[in-house]
Amino acid sequence: MANVYIKTKILSGDSAIKYLKEIRSKTIFIVCDKFISESGTIKYITNALDLTNSVEVFDQAIPDPTTEVVGKGLNMIYKVKPDIVIGFGGGSAIDTAKGIIYFANLKKGIKKPKFITVPTTSGTGSEVTSVAVITDLENKSKHLIASDEILADVALVDPQLTLSVPQSITANTGMDVFTHALEAYVSKDANVFSDALAEKSIELLLNSLLTCYKEGKNLVARTMMHEASTLAGIAFNTAGLGVNHSIAHQLGGTFHIPHGLSNAILLNEVIEYNCVNHDIMLKYASLAYKVQLVSIDETPEFAVKVLKEIINTLMRCMNMPLNIRGIGIDIEEYKHHIQRMSDTALLDNCLNTTPRKIGAAGIQKILCSIY
């Protein structure tokens, strides 16, 4: 049975902001980071809101949002009791908003607010997903919150907000999109709906990511990447992810490696692991055929080889480290954490839909291979 649930109303394009102009006489709680509030970017939201609204800003979102930050936001939302929460920023800011909403909903007497997401990067797809990743600093791990209660009611997908994103973030978030689409495509819960979304996402990405990296102000390319990110988000929210993300969460929680970079470094090793299963290998090949990386006349094995080369080429062209060594992490320090990271990865929710079963030994082998 194909199970698809799409709750979020998506407004895409540079006129998406007009949605906010219709809001009147509401208490609005904006979750963002310090950069957005102090750089003036927040005016994108506040200038669009009618003066009849009351606006409170929580600007303490950080990369890899922590349980501590979510707790601070929770205390504030209890006081504000907003009608609307707006998650404004990259995936971390939106995940922070989701974490706050999730735990606020557990408290009796708090009215559930309407949730609006406004992404400023093309990567996480968090604007349309029912998950949030929160870091526990005490045990250096990332935890997944999964609940339809944190799906946004409305997502405003405006590419204008991505025009000033730096090259390194464009690269990392872009490869996060690639990973979302690939993992959703081969997920054991994939269906025709998620496949179509993933295929279109990768088609758009292949036609736009390098242009976004080299020509950051190219609105056509930025629009394609922003839509690719949202499509991949819906795809993996429908089909799930896999071991790539399960391990990436541990790399991020332990060494603070950007999430998209962690995913990118892992991608080819995970493809290699999954392709031991012939049926999964054929699914990867099918994607390569669909997005016209290779002719249908080529063998599935060659199609997968080309797919892996495309991943390496994208990373090289965007000056991304190809392994953990390239990030500058000491090998002894890395080895010290492999056992714990593999054990924690086995508890990660993304592992539930990975297409080929894997145990601690398999995860450790992948972790060693990417150094």
Side-chain angles (χ1 to χ4, degrees):
M1 179 182 75
N3 186 14
V4 182
Y5 174 53
I6 302 174
K7 168 190 174 184
T8 308
K9 178 179 181 179
I10 301 168
L11 301 177
S12 179
D14 56 11
S15 61
I17 187 64
K18 292 180 181 178
Y19 178 86
L20 298 177
K21 297 180 184 295
E22 305 302 317
I23 299 172
R24 299 282 191 279
S25 304
K26 300 295 183 183
T27 300
I28 300 172
F29 185 63
I30 301 174
V31 180
C32 63
D33 60 30
K34 286 285 185 186
F35 176 79
I36 281 179
S37 67
E38 294 176 357
S39 68
T41 306
I42 196 168
K43 291 179 181 177
Y44 172 89
I45 301 291
T46 55
N47 287 352
L49 292 169
D50 189 80
L51 293 176
T52 59
N53 296 296
S54 172
V55 179
E56 297 287 342
V57 177
F58 177 75
D59 65 357
Q60 297 185 48
I62 58 174
D64 300 321
T66 64
T67 50
E68 180 183 5
V69 168
V70 170
K72 290 178 181 178
L74 200 56
N75 288 333
M76 190 169 175
I77 203 173
Y78 287 155
K79 296 174 184 175
V80 174
K81 295 182 174 62
D83 302 297
I84 297 171
V85 172
I86 300 178
F88 181 40
S92 295
I94 294 175
D95 275 8
T96 300
K98 288 179 175 180
I100 293 168
I101 290 170
Y102 177 79
F103 289 107
N105 286 344
L106 298 179
K107 185 171 181 178
K108 293 180 180 179
I110 297 290
K111 181 182 70 173
K112 184 184 177 184
K114 184 173 185 176
F115 186 29
I116 300 172
T117 51
V118 188
T120 59
T121 60
S122 305
T124 67
S126 189
E127 68 273 9
V128 289
T129 66
S130 59
V131 297
V133 181
I134 308 298
T135 299
D136 185 337
L137 291 177
E138 189 172 331
N139 62 18
K140 294 185 177 182
S141 63
K142 292 190 175 187
H143 299 287
L144 202 69
I145 296 172
S147 170
D148 287 344
E149 295 297 308
I150 57 174
L151 272 169
D153 297 288
V154 179
L156 306 182
V157 183
D158 186 345
Q160 293 278 356
L161 288 165
T162 68
L163 296 180
S164 60
V165 174
Q167 283 188 319
S168 62
I169 296 177
T170 297
N172 292 339
T173 54
M175 293 307 294
D176 197 16
V177 175
F178 207 152
T179 310
H180 289 154
L182 271 181
E183 287 214 286
Y185 200 71
V186 299
S187 162
K188 71 176 187 179
D189 284 354
N191 55 51
V192 293
F193 303 99
S194 59
D195 281 0
L197 292 161
E199 287 165 7
K200 190 63 180 180
S201 174
I202 290 179
E203 177 191 322
L204 291 172
L205 180 148
L206 292 174
N207 286 321
S208 62
L209 179 53
L210 283 183
T211 303
C212 290
Y213 181 80
K214 295 175 181 177
E215 306 169 27
K217 301 294 184 183
N218 188 315
L219 185 59
V220 173
R222 288 291 193 182
T223 299
M224 292 172 73
M225 260 317 298
H226 221 29
E227 291 178 340
S229 176
T230 299
L231 287 168
I234 303 171
F236 86 74
N237 200 61
T238 300
L241 293 166
V243 69
N244 210 110
H245 268 76
S246 295
I247 300 175
H249 290 154
Q250 314 319 314
L251 291 170
T254 303
F255 298 107
H256 307 292
I257 303 169
H259 178 63
L261 177 56
S262 295
N263 271 324
I265 289 172
L266 284 159
L267 256 180
N268 278 342
E269 291 299 328
V270 170
I271 291 172
E272 192 76 20
Y273 176 83
N274 284 336
C275 281
V276 170
N277 181 306
H278 187 71
D279 290 339
I280 303 171
M281 186 271 290
L282 291 178
K283 192 72 186 287
Y284 282 117
S286 173
L287 179 62
Y289 297 137
K290 291 283 177 63
V291 299
Q292 299 183 334
L293 290 180
V294 294
S295 165
I296 193 68
D297 297 329
E298 300 290 354
T299 67
E301 290 80 5
F302 181 75
V304 174
K305 181 180 178 180
V306 171
L307 175 62
K308 291 166 65 178
E309 280 303 315
I310 287 290
I311 292 167
N312 275 334
T313 300
L314 283 172
M315 292 179 70
R316 288 193 180 98
C317 288
M318 295 188 293
N319 296 305
M320 299 175 74
L322 298 179
N323 49 45
I324 300 297
R325 187 186 312 109
I327 299 172
I329 295 171
D330 177 73
I331 188 168
E332 294 305 322
E333 173 72 5
Y334 185 70
K335 287 180 178 179
H336 175 72
H337 291 284
I338 284 179
Q339 179 69 56
R340 183 191 55 76
M341 287 194 293
S342 65
D343 290 344
T344 311
L346 288 172
L347 303 175
D348 189 275
N349 286 354
C350 293
L351 211 60
N352 294 335
T353 46
T354 204
R356 183 184 172 214
K357 288 184 178 180
I358 191 168
I363 292 173
Q364 289 171 26
K365 185 177 179 181
I366 291 173
L367 283 167
C368 290
S369 68
I370 63 171
Y371 188 83

